[in-house]
Amino acid sequence: MNARTRTALAAALILGIAAGPPAALATADSSRHVAGADARTDTPDAAALRAALAGLPDADSTAALVRVGGTDGVWRGSAGVHDLASGAPADPHARFRAGSVTKVFTAAVVLQLAAEHKVDLGRPVRSYLPDLVPETYGQVTVRQLLNHTSGIPAADLPGSTPEERYAHRFDLHDPKDMAASALAEEPEFAPGEQQHYLNINYTLLGLLTEKVTGRPYAEEAARRVLRPLGLRDTYFPGADPRISGPHNHGYQTFPRPGGGTELRDVTVWGATESWAAGDLISSTADLERFVQALFRGRVVPRPQLAEMFTLPGGSVRLYGSDEPAAYSAGLSVITLGGRQVWGKTGSRWGYTTAIAATRDLSRTLVYSVNATDAKGEGMNPRALSLMVAAFGEPSA
């Protein structure tokens, strides 16, 4: 992959974005063309996808699970190890932490409530949460939470370095307390003027959901999305820091005090600070089913679904840059291989995930990469290769 491709993708894929057995590798793939495909005739590039999975585990990733689908054709693959100690092959049906892909589920719940006239997207959030949202943020609307144009700063959480975050990995965080800490600060900008992707927007949407429905967020999301779609491997862990059911281990690179780096197993790690913005646990099969149902209008009614495919207009720019707004309600868009791709990436310690699809569902991609740099600045090289292999290079 050339430098231009890497730079362009690393910048644009904000859809949302050691020791070990040296020869331990397990790969499996299958592909087929779907008869009657009427959108395009190019099948997934199996050779490119296999190449994108080759060589695992390596310094950047220990495992990867991939599902490519759509009317163009289907491809499945997995590579790497279940864990570095045993070197056993990665389980292709494993569960994993989906990170900010959770936001797509949260957006879907809120848009369902809007379709039922229980939430008005243009109404101030304060009218739903008057005891939590101060007058300072009285003009912020529900839609501005959905597309990250609220101007509300991040919540105050302990730790900034990986080592500090590791020390606090079992802390429990209350969403109301996190929201209160953010709302006590001055706005970053006036509502609707800029776009800053922050978890706090979706923390507030989770609280709004609870206020409107009278039920816990996780229960409401399961009732509205998980159970109707039969997503049996998908759940919200709450205060449990473990992943229940089959899962491949996640690892994170940490600096050693005397120099060099080491890998630590970070599979068990609490996710209460991300809650409705990023605590979901799922599988590639479940996420593929979800994205296909979502884009077909089976999760959110089509009038409200349009919000997911609409970026803020006008002169809205990403916070602190000259780049145009990149986020809609839950999704983002990039042009790859000459076609628009909508989706969302997400990362938790030891895991990075993506769902992505063309609007007509001619091509879909879901991957989970057990990345050793999942919370790093750039996009994991393995994940980057998979995105290009599935859709093609970004437009110039």
Side-chain angles (χ1 to χ4, degrees), residues 205-224:
L205 288 170
L207 292 170
L208 182 149
T209 297
E210 293 191 334
K211 184 64 176 291
V212 170
T213 65
R215 285 182 285 269
Y217 163 77
E219 179 181 316
E220 190 67 10
R223 185 178 76 87
R224 289 175 171 272

Side-chain angles (χ1 to χ4, degrees), residues 25-83:
L25 173 66
T27 61
D29 70 78
S30 61
S31 60
R32 64 180 174 85
H33 179 64
V34 177
D38 57 3
R40 296 175 67 96
T41 58
D42 51 329
T43 58
D45 187 339
L49 289 162
R50 282 194 295 270
L53 286 180
L56 287 174
D58 63 12
D60 297 313
S61 314
T62 58
L65 315 177
V66 184
R67 294 176 76 93
V68 177
T71 55
D72 284 351
V74 174
W75 189 90
R76 308 281 183 257
S78 66
V81 295
H82 169 268
D83 65 276

Side-chain angles (χ1 to χ4, degrees), residues 218-310:
E219 179 181 316
E220 190 67 10
R223 185 178 76 87
R224 289 175 171 272
V225 182
L226 308 192
R227 288 198 291 272
L229 294 182
L231 306 184
R232 296 180 179 85
D233 288 321
T234 304
Y235 73 99
F236 299 91
D240 190 346
R242 299 164 297 179
I243 301 175
S244 70
H247 58 277
N248 300 314
H249 287 229
Y251 298 86
Q252 175 69 32
T253 301
F254 286 87
R256 284 179 174 154
T261 61
E262 64 178 1
L263 281 182
R264 294 183 197 170
D265 191 322
V266 292
T267 308
V268 181
W269 192 305
T272 55
E273 87 280 1
S274 57
W275 192 50
D279 72 349
L280 192 76
I281 289 171
S282 191
S283 67
T284 54
D286 273 10
L287 291 181
E288 183 180 64
R289 179 179 298 183
F290 170 69
V291 74
Q292 291 180 352
L294 179 69
F295 280 39
R296 289 189 176 109
R298 290 179 48 215
V299 180
V300 175
R302 291 195 178 277
Q304 287 71 37
L305 183 61
E307 296 279 342
M308 287 191 160
F309 299 101
T310 305

Side-chain angles (χ1 to χ4, degrees), residues 336-359:
L336 296 172
R339 50 188 169 180
Q340 282 193 337
V341 177
W342 292 87
K344 186 75 188 75
T345 60
S347 295
R348 292 288 305 169
W349 300 96
Y351 302 87
T352 188
T353 301
I355 61 173
T358 56
R359 185 70 181 86

